[in-house]
């Protein structure tokens, strides 16, 4: 892989472009806002996300023309919020991805059927399994931007493709691992955003470390129950592939989902908290999609249910946590 097209202009996309260009991968980059495109091409900086980071724009072709960016590469990397994926796909002719490989780095469900991003792309563009891969793992963009040691997981059934693209993401600070379990890893990556919101609410409500530990322990139990009920293969749940992202999202100050939850715990409304964020917290959308899936499975997941009631039934976090205290162990 010596060239790739990246779709998305947020912090996660910016961090991935950094890694790729450091490995001399020519990167064709679609960003929706023309101001971002001009800044990247002129100053090598994304002005809206990770603006402290200087990119190597000698290896970047940035454009706000999506069709052009898709046409330039055989490998397409989608890094857009899950809530916007269907709108992005709607303007890409299906034939344009027929012969391409598609990588997904999105952590949320998509559309009214609450599909996994990879499943949505496969259905929409009629992709074969061998054409797809996903990126997962505890990979905060802010730390990648500062070359902090990070472990990334690439998932997909096509080991040959994974082997080729892994060289584009590996570096002195980035270790890349392989896992074939797309279903389990993708659902774990979505559920961790819900956990981030719950942990943030607990912090905003001034719960201590003791309660936080119980909260995270219950989150791990819920994740295991969810994956088992979805029919994911038996997994080593304690590995960083599944739990790493959950833990870093639950504890890290870099987590936008945790920050979003903290505002809710401090008494801000959902609308106010979203306004204060100034960027997308994927857990807001992930909660609704996962709740529909969990309800269809007949599962009882108190952390998810608590988050859903705060976000969509507009219940007060303080009241919901009093109930949650009695429903976790």
């Amino acid at each position: 892989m010596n060239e790739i097209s990246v779709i998305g202009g947020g912090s996660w996309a910016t961090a991935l472009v950094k890694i790729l260009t450091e490995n001399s991968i020519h990167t064709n980059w679609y960003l929706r806002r023309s101001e971002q495109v001009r800044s990247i091409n002129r100053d090598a900086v994304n002005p809206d996300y990770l603006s402290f980071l200087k990119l190597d724009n000698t290896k970047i072709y940035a454009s706000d023309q999506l069709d052009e960016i898709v046409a330039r590469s055989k490998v397409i990397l989608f890094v857009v919020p899950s809530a916007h994926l269907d709108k992005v796909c709607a303007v890409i002719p299906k034939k344009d991805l027929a012969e391409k490989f598609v990588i997904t780095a999105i952590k949320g469900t998509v559309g009214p059927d609450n599909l996994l991003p990879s499943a949505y792309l496969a259905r929409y563009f009629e992709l074969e399994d061998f054409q797809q891969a996903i990126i997962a793992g505890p990979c905060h963009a802010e730390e990648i931007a500062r070359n902090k040691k990070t472990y990334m997981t690439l998932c997909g059934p096509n080991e040959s493709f994974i082997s080729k693209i892994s060289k584009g993401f590996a570096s002195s600070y980035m270790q890349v691992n392989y896992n074939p379990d797309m279903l389990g890893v993708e659902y774990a990556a979505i559920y961790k955003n819900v956990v981030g919101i719950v942990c943030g609410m607990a912090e905003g409500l001034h719960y201590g470390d003791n309660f936080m530990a119980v909260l995270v322990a219950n989150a791990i139990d819920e994740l295991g129950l969810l994956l088992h009920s979805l029919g994911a293969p038996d997994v080593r749940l304690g590995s960083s592939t599944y739990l790493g992202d959950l833990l870093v999202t639950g504890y890290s100050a870099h987590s936008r989902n945790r920050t979003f939850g903290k505002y809710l715990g401090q008494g801000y409304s959902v609308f106010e908290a979203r306004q204060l964020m100034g960027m997308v917290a994927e857990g807001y959308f992930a909660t609704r999609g996962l709740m529909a899936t969990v309800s269809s499975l007949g599962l009882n997941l108190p952390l998810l249910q608590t988050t859903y009631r705060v976000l969509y039934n507009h219940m007060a976090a303080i009241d919901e946590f009093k109930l949650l205290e009695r429903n976790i162990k």
Side-chain angles (χ1 to χ4, degrees):
M1 185 179 72
N2 56 15
E3 186 171 22
I4 190 170
S5 288
V6 176
I7 299 174
S11 57
W12 185 209
T14 304
L16 291 173
V17 168
K18 171 188 184 290
I19 301 168
L20 291 164
T21 54
E22 286 173 345
N23 285 327
S24 297
I25 306 298
H26 183 79
T27 303
N28 303 300
W29 191 3
Y30 168 75
L31 304 100
R32 184 174 56 86
R33 296 181 59 249
S34 57
E35 294 85 352
Q36 286 178 290
V37 172
R38 284 195 295 270
S39 179
I40 290 163
N41 287 333
R42 182 186 63 233
D43 305 319
V45 169
N46 184 341
D48 297 335
Y49 300 94
L50 305 181
S51 57
F52 62 87
L53 175 63
K54 197 80 168 179
L55 298 164
D56 182 359
N57 62 358
T58 66
K59 298 182 179 68
I60 296 172
Y61 177 79
S63 172
D64 59 0
Q65 301 300 307
L66 180 56
D67 57 345
E68 179 186 16
I69 294 301
V70 170
R72 291 176 72 96
S73 306
K74 292 183 179 180
V75 180
I76 312 297
L77 171 57
F78 284 89
V79 201
V80 299
S82 59
H84 300 160
L85 181 61
D86 55 352
K87 300 179 185 68
V88 171
C89 292
V91 297
I92 302 175
K94 294 182 180 180
K95 63 179 178 60
D96 287 4
L97 263 63
E99 304 297 327
K100 297 183 186 290
F101 290 92
V102 176
I103 310 171
T104 312
I106 302 171
K107 301 174 180 181
T109 57
V110 185
D113 294 332
N114 304 303
L115 295 175
L116 294 172
S118 64
Y120 181 85
L121 290 167
R123 175 191 288 185
Y124 190 87
F125 292 107
E126 300 177 359
L127 302 174
E128 300 291 342
D129 288 348
F130 74 88
Q131 292 177 267
Q132 285 197 280
I134 66 171
I135 292 174
C139 303
H140 275 317
E142 294 82 0
E143 294 206 345
I144 291 174
R146 293 184 168 88
N147 294 357
K148 299 291 186 181
K149 187 66 179 180
T150 301
Y151 290 69
M152 173 186 288
T153 299
L154 294 178
C155 304
N158 187 340
E159 289 190 54
S160 174
F161 175 54
I162 298 291
S163 177
K164 290 176 182 177
I165 63 174
S166 65
K167 297 172 184 176
F169 294 101
S171 72
S172 60
Y173 61 88
M174 178 65 73
Q175 179 167 319
V176 178
N177 301 314
Y178 170 68
N179 189 314
D181 176 25
M182 284 183 65
L183 176 72
V185 171
E186 206 162 5
Y187 266 110
I190 294 169
Y191 176 75
K192 65 94 181 181
N193 287 325
V194 179
V195 176
I197 294 175
V198 172
C199 289
M201 286 193 285
E203 183 187 15
L205 289 165
H206 302 296
Y207 283 87
D209 292 342
N210 294 340
F211 182 80
M212 193 72 76
V214 174
L215 204 62
V216 172
N218 277 263
I220 294 169
D221 191 48
E222 285 192 12
L223 175 59
L225 181 60
L226 174 64
L227 296 185
H228 176 76
S229 299
L230 288 165
D234 290 337
V235 299
R236 186 167 154 254
L237 190 60
S239 71
S240 63
T241 299
Y242 299 95
L243 286 194
D245 215 354
L246 183 152
L247 294 172
V248 77
T249 302
Y251 285 115
S252 174
H254 291 308
S255 169
R256 61 183 70 174
N257 290 286
R258 193 176 196 274
T259 301
F260 178 55
K262 184 177 178 180
Y263 287 139
L264 297 172
Q266 290 172 338
Y268 290 98
S269 70
V270 174
F271 175 80
E272 291 168 337
R274 293 182 71 186
Q275 292 297 112
L276 286 167
M277 288 295 298
M279 61 181 90
V280 175
E282 281 278 28
Y284 175 76
F285 303 103
T287 298
R288 181 174 58 193
L290 272 182
M291 190 66 188
T293 300
V294 165
S295 296
S296 70
L297 294 169
L299 297 179
N300 177 35
L301 304 184
L303 272 64
L304 174 62
Q305 291 158 350
T306 294
T307 309
Y308 182 85
R309 287 193 293 266
V310 172
L311 294 182
Y312 293 100
N313 293 347
H314 305 292
M315 303 298 291
I318 189 169
D319 296 332
E320 285 300 318
F321 265 69
K322 290 301 179 185
L323 177 62
L324 182 63
E325 288 177 23
R326 300 197 292 271
N327 289 325
I328 59 176
K329 298 178 181 179

